[in-house]
Amino acid sequence: MPPSPADRKAEPVPDQSTTDRPRRSVLYLPSSNERALEKAKSIPVDALILDLEDSVAPDAKEQAREKACAAVRSGAYGRRELTIRVNGLGSEWHDADLAAASAAGPDAIVVPKVNSADEVRGLVAAMDAAGAPEHTRLWAMVETPVAVLHAEQIARASDRLACLVLGINDLYKELGATFAPGRAAIQTSLQLAILAARAAGVAVVDGVFNDVRDADGFLAEARQGREMGFDGKTLIHPGQVEPCNDVFAPDADEVERARAVIAAFEAARAQGRGVATLDGRLIENLHVDTARKVLATAEAVAALE
């Protein structure tokens, strides 16, 4: 179903918060765990999700909220993108979470189970009312069949929305599907979310891999995610961070190839030709655009190290 005019926003104008900032590794942290919050200051992760939802027991919700907001205000996390995941719409904690997170002013507020463009607009209005600064973006979690089917409308609903986050455990549950290597049961859902994000000009990150002992399985799934087009992957253990960073960053061969593509094309244009060849392969504008994106990503990653 095509989105209605009310569900569409103007064609996206990419900015650093949605396109250039690396989000290779996005680590969930229980905000009730003081030790985890402290350890995260030294983890080479691109982004942190300070969680108030699934990883926090009901009797620890208020304490976790206070700790997450204090962490944001501390300025102790360096270049890491700092976000807070609030409890979901309709929960008894949601309104207080959203108000406190907005006041704290993280890089983004992550909201689980966002199912419609109307919900996005309502969340943005609540953030505005609570005084969220302009730099505080909204990340919407895509975790249900209805969210997948409305992903483009969700992604286009507000300029404050910067990222779609796949919640694949809930998606498996909602679909009644069984996990297997290769994720055949949710391939369509993953692809639809990526298509929606790219159409709207926002970032999109893959869901978690649950078995922290299965390093090979994690690498296979991370590589699959990168091949599909995800910007990065959400993580549940610090040990997954560095392998994930490696998978989602251009390697030396990719960077060298990108530079060669650009050089070959520019040389062809200097000779009045609109296309070029490199190692027997045709090079057009679209290949140059891809090469420039590779170099921009490599430069952005290098700036973090």
Side-chain angles (χ1 to χ4, degrees), residues 183-251:
R183 302 191 290 182
I186 62 168
Q187 280 281 322
T188 298
S189 299
L190 298 177
Q191 291 165 342
L192 285 172
I194 294 167
L195 284 167
R198 298 300 172 234
V202 302
V204 57
V205 293
D206 199 358
V208 300
F209 184 82
N210 294 311
D211 189 348
V212 298
R213 301 165 300 177
D214 184 2
D216 291 339
F218 172 78
L219 279 174
E221 189 170 288
R223 287 169 180 152
Q224 178 199 45
R226 187 185 178 194
E227 289 168 0
M228 292 181 70
F230 282 106
D231 295 297
K233 189 168 181 64
T234 48
L235 312 173
I236 59 172
H237 192 277
Q240 297 173 326
V241 169
E242 293 197 50
C244 196
N245 284 345
D246 288 342
V247 167
F248 282 95
D251 61 27

Side-chain angles (χ1 to χ4, degrees), residues 65-261:
R65 183 190 304 143
E66 293 172 3
K67 288 182 177 180
C69 292
V72 167
R73 293 189 176 104
S74 72
Y77 291 84
R79 52 80 179 170
R80 296 164 188 81
E81 190 169 15
L82 210 54
T83 76
I84 296 176
R85 179 167 75 163
V86 300
N87 285 278
L89 285 158
S91 72
E92 63 183 282
W93 306 283
H94 172 78
D95 291 347
D97 285 352
L98 192 69
S102 295
D107 291 300
I109 296 173
V110 184
V111 181
K113 293 186 174 66
V114 176
N115 287 323
S116 71
D118 283 342
E119 288 183 355
V120 171
R121 288 188 282 268
L123 288 163
V124 169
M127 291 169 65
D128 289 341
E134 185 176 349
H135 75 259
T136 297
R137 311 304 294 274
L138 174 65
W139 290 13
M141 294 197 68
V142 175
E143 305 185 81
T144 66
V146 70
V148 170
L149 293 173
H150 294 87
E152 185 187 358
Q153 297 171 35
I154 290 168
R156 290 185 182 273
S158 170
D159 289 334
R160 198 185 270 269
L161 191 144
C163 187
L164 300 181
V165 181
L166 272 292
I168 60 176
N169 286 331
D170 281 279
L171 191 55
Y172 272 112
K173 173 178 174 287
E174 293 281 339
L175 291 171
T178 302
F179 174 80
R183 302 191 290 182
I186 62 168
Q187 280 281 322
T188 298
S189 299
L190 298 177
Q191 291 165 342
L192 285 172
I194 294 167
L195 284 167
R198 298 300 172 234
V202 302
V204 57
V205 293
D206 199 358
V208 300
F209 184 82
N210 294 311
D211 189 348
V212 298
R213 301 165 300 177
D214 184 2
D216 291 339
F218 172 78
L219 279 174
E221 189 170 288
R223 287 169 180 152
Q224 178 199 45
R226 187 185 178 194
E227 289 168 0
M228 292 181 70
F230 282 106
D231 295 297
K233 189 168 181 64
T234 48
L235 312 173
I236 59 172
H237 192 277
Q240 297 173 326
V241 169
E242 293 197 50
C244 196
N245 284 345
D246 288 342
V247 167
F248 282 95
D251 61 27
D253 289 342
E254 288 177 274
V255 171
E256 182 179 353
R257 173 75 183 179
R259 288 177 176 149
V261 165

